[in-house]
């Protein structure tokens, strides 16, 4: 829950950071540092350090997540955005399914290849490490993107809500997303406990 709390808490400042330094740079910084703190979680067994690293990783993850969609919007034309966002979502879901499938096999494979079949923890560590490595490799195409220069507003108040023009629609979206998140928060963390029992 600390990681999720950090993402939610950092979302507003992350949006301001994206406006200040650009979406491409924000995405790179967020991904690099969130994965650095994910590495700490993989190779430490100290609870305070695990929790602290999870919190900081969540803060940097918020920067990546907030920067993603604006980066796509800024580097595409209006006519192609529907296809671009649907393709982005489809590829992300397909990759997630494939990654989840591989994550079921890799711990056992790593354990048997490197330390023998009894070293389950090592297998899980190497699987998580592979995930971090792949995430860092995925940054490479970002460096090829040339950001379009855009006019940034300089009169915006920090964390101001004055720029919201359609409160009824924003409120409906926020309530729907909040209820979905609340339900997921009750269920998702206990999937592994359910399967274990």
């Amino acid at each position: 829950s600390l990681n999720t709390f950090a993402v939610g808490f950092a979302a507003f400042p992350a949006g301001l950071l994206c406006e200040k330094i650009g979406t491409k740079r924000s995405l790179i910084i967020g991904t690099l540092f969130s994965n650095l703190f994910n590495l700490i979680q993989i190779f430490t067994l100290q609870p305070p350090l695990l929790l602290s690293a999870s919190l900081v990783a969540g803060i940097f993850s918020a920067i990546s997540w907030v920067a993603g969609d604006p980066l796509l919007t800024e580097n595409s034309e209006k006519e192609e955005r529907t296809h671009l966002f649907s393709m982005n979502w489809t590829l992300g879901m397909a990759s997630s399914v494939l990654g989840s499938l591989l994550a079921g096999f890799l711990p056992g494979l790593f354990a048997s290849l490197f330390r023998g079949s009894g070293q389950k923890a090592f297998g899980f560590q190497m699987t998580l490490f592979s995930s971090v490595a792949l995430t860092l490799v995925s940054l490479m195409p970002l460096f090829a993107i040339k950001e379009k220069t855009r006019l940034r507003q300089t009169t915006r108040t920090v964390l101001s809500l004055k720029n919201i023009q359609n409160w009824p629609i924003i409120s409906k979206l926020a309530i729907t997303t909040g209820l979905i998140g609340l339900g997921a928060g009750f269920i998702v963390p206990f999937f592994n406990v359910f399967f274990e029992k």
Side-chain angles (χ1 to χ4, degrees):
S1 60
L2 270 179
N3 185 274
T4 307
F5 172 77
V7 171
F9 181 76
F12 280 114
L16 295 171
L17 180 69
C18 289
E19 287 189 353
K20 190 172 183 73
I21 69 172
T23 52
K24 174 184 169 181
R25 195 175 300 169
S26 297
L27 192 55
I28 292 170
I29 289 171
T31 304
L32 281 174
F33 283 98
S34 65
N35 278 281
L36 173 66
F37 285 94
N38 285 334
L39 279 175
I40 293 172
Q41 294 178 79
I42 294 170
F43 294 108
T44 185
L45 297 175
Q46 302 301 318
L49 193 55
L50 279 168
L51 292 173
S52 301
S54 179
L55 184 71
V56 178
I59 291 171
F60 283 104
S61 292
I63 297 172
S64 300
W65 291 342
V66 167
D69 286 346
L71 181 72
L72 291 176
T73 303
E74 290 170 9
N75 292 279
S76 62
E77 301 299 329
K78 186 177 180 180
E79 298 76 19
E80 60 190 1
R81 282 183 194 139
T82 301
H83 301 290
L84 174 65
F85 277 89
S86 61
M87 183 59 71
N88 182 60
W89 181 261
T90 301
L91 286 172
M93 287 299 292
S95 299
S96 179
V97 169
L98 180 61
S100 296
L101 185 63
L102 285 173
F105 294 103
L106 288 178
L109 180 64
F110 281 127
S112 61
L113 283 177
F114 294 103
R115 294 238 189 135
S117 58
Q119 299 294 330
K120 289 184 178 180
F122 177 79
F124 285 113
Q125 280 181 318
M126 289 300 99
T127 301
L128 291 169
F129 181 78
S130 301
S131 171
V132 170
L134 283 172
T135 304
L136 294 176
V137 169
S138 74
L139 283 176
M140 293 177 67
L142 270 178
F143 291 101
I145 295 175
K146 294 181 179 179
E147 272 191 301
K148 294 179 180 177
T149 305
R150 61 193 180 99
L151 184 63
R152 305 189 196 281
Q153 294 182 355
T154 57
T155 58
R156 183 165 295 182
T157 306
V158 175
L159 298 182
S160 172
L161 300 177
K162 293 178 180 178
N163 295 313
I164 296 177
Q165 297 177 1
N166 197 328
W167 275 103
I169 290 178
I170 295 295
S171 300
K172 289 175 185 175
L173 288 171
I175 290 170
T176 304
T177 303
L179 289 173
I180 292 170
L182 185 65
F186 283 140
I187 297 170
V188 174
F190 298 105
F191 278 158
N192 56 346
V193 179
F194 174 78
F195 285 120
E196 179 72 20
K197 300 297 181 184

